[in-house]
C-alpha cells in the first residue's frame, strides 16, 4: 500500500497550497510563509516505493558548521526533539546542512489526510514558532533560553502538586540570603 505523490498532491490541493513535483527524487516541494524563517521550504518525500514517508524542511539554519556555539546549538536541537512530538533534527557534517524532519514507515498502511496534515502543521509550528527563535538566541548568546522555560514549567508543576511549597521555598531562600551567600556564589 504505502503512499504515492498523487495522494500527497490531492491533500495539498485541498489545503490550497502551491507545489511542484520532483519525479526524479519521488518528492513534492512546497513552502510556506513564516514569521521566523525567511525561506521555509518543505519537501514531502516517499521512499521504498511509497512505504516510507518523510516531510522535512531543508537548510533551516545556516552557519552552524564553524559557529563558536556549535555544541550548544546541536544540544538545543536535541533538547527540542526531546520536548516535542515527531520532530527530529538532522545535521550533515559534510556541508553543515541542518534539517527538521518527520519520518515514519507506512509499510502496508496508507497515509491518511489527517496524518499528513498533522505532520505538515507540526513541522511548521515547531520549526517556526519554537525552534528557530530559540536556536537564533543560542547562536547569539551560546545559552539555551529553553532551560528557563523548563524551570518555569517545573515551578508550575510544583505549585499544582504541592500548593504552598513554592512560598515555603521562597521564604527559605530569603532567610538563607540574609544569613549569607549561597555556596555557589
Amino acid at each position: 500500500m504505502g503512499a504515492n505523490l498523487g495522494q500527497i498532491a490531492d491533500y495539498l490541493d485541498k489545503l490550497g497550497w502551491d507545489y511542484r513535483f520532483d519525479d526524479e527524487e519521488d518528492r513534492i516541494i512546497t513552502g510556506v510563509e513564516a514569521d521566523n524563517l525567511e525561506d521555509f521550504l518543505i519537501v514531502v518525500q516517499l521512499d521504498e516505493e511509497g512505504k516510507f514517508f518523510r516531510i522535512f524542511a531543508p537548510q533551516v539554519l545556516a552557519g552552524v558548521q564553524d559557529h563558536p556555539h556549535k555544541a550548544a546549538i546541536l544540544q538545543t536541537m536535541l533538547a527540542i526533539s526531546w520536548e516535542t512530538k515527531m520532530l527530529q533534527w538532522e545535521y550533515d557534517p559534510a556541508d553543515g546542512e541542518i534539517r527538521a524532519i518527520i519520518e515514519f514507515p507506512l509499510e502496508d498502511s496508507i497515509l491518511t489526510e489527517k496524518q499528513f496534515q498533522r505532520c505538515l502543521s507540526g513541522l511548521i509550528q515547531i520549526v517556526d514558532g519554537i525552534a528557530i527563535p530559540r536556536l537564533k538566541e543560542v547562536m547569539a548568546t551560546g545559552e539555551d533560553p529553553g532551560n528557563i522555560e523548563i524551570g518555569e514549567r517545573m515551578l508550575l508543576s510544583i505549585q499544582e502538586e504541592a500548593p504552598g511549597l513554592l512560598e515555603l521555598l521562597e521564604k527559605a531562600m530569603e532567610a538563607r540570603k540574609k544569613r549569607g551567600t549561597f555556596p555557589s556564589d
Side-chain angles (χ1 to χ4, degrees):
M1 261 187 214
N4 61 61
L5 291 182
Q7 175 187 15
I8 304 293
D10 183 50
Y11 296 160
L12 289 169
D13 287 340
K14 288 179 181 178
L15 294 171
W17 282 45
D18 293 326
Y19 56 88
R20 68 179 169 85
F21 285 97
D22 181 353
D23 292 321
E24 287 182 21
E25 297 290 330
D26 206 17
R27 61 187 181 180
I28 290 177
I29 300 171
T30 188
V32 65
E33 287 189 31
D35 295 327
N36 297 298
L37 196 58
E38 191 171 320
D39 293 317
F40 199 150
L41 188 66
I42 298 172
V43 178
V44 182
Q45 183 171 326
L46 300 173
D47 294 326
E48 302 174 15
E49 298 175 358
K51 293 180 181 176
F52 198 87
F53 170 81
R54 299 174 197 259
I55 184 169
F56 61 91
Q59 303 169 352
V60 294
L61 197 62
V64 174
Q65 194 169 24
D66 298 316
H67 198 282
H69 302 306
K70 179 179 179 179
I73 295 164
L74 297 176
Q75 183 173 335
T76 301
M77 288 169 30
L78 287 172
I80 293 168
S81 290
W82 176 264
E83 296 164 7
T84 61
K85 294 179 181 175
M86 299 188 298
L87 188 77
Q88 302 171 62
W89 295 92
E90 294 182 341
Y91 171 70
D92 184 348
D95 64 6
E97 178 187 2
I98 291 179
R99 287 182 178 180
I101 186 167
I102 296 170
E103 61 183 353
F104 51 88
L106 296 171
E107 298 300 330
D108 58 350
S109 298
I110 63 165
L111 177 67
T112 69
E113 188 171 357
K114 277 187 169 183
Q115 287 173 315
F116 176 74
Q117 288 178 358
R118 180 170 180 185
C119 291
L120 181 63
S121 66
L123 180 73
I124 295 165
Q125 290 171 2
I126 295 169
V127 170
D128 190 53
I130 297 170
I132 294 302
R134 185 168 163 184
L135 289 166
K136 284 180 179 179
E137 179 71 18
V138 174
M139 289 181 83
T141 66
E143 298 292 325
D144 181 4
N147 291 337
I148 294 167
E149 293 171 15
I150 291 169
E152 289 174 352
R153 285 196 303 264
M154 286 174 59
L155 289 174
L156 285 173
S157 179
I158 290 170
Q159 186 176 357
E160 289 174 3
E161 296 296 321
L165 182 58
L166 287 181
E167 290 81 15
L168 183 63
L169 287 171
E170 186 177 21
K171 288 177 184 176
M173 289 172 60
E174 286 299 317
R176 175 73 175 142
K177 283 181 187 177
K178 288 178 183 175
R179 283 196 309 272
T181 61
F182 285 108
S184 62
D185 288 350

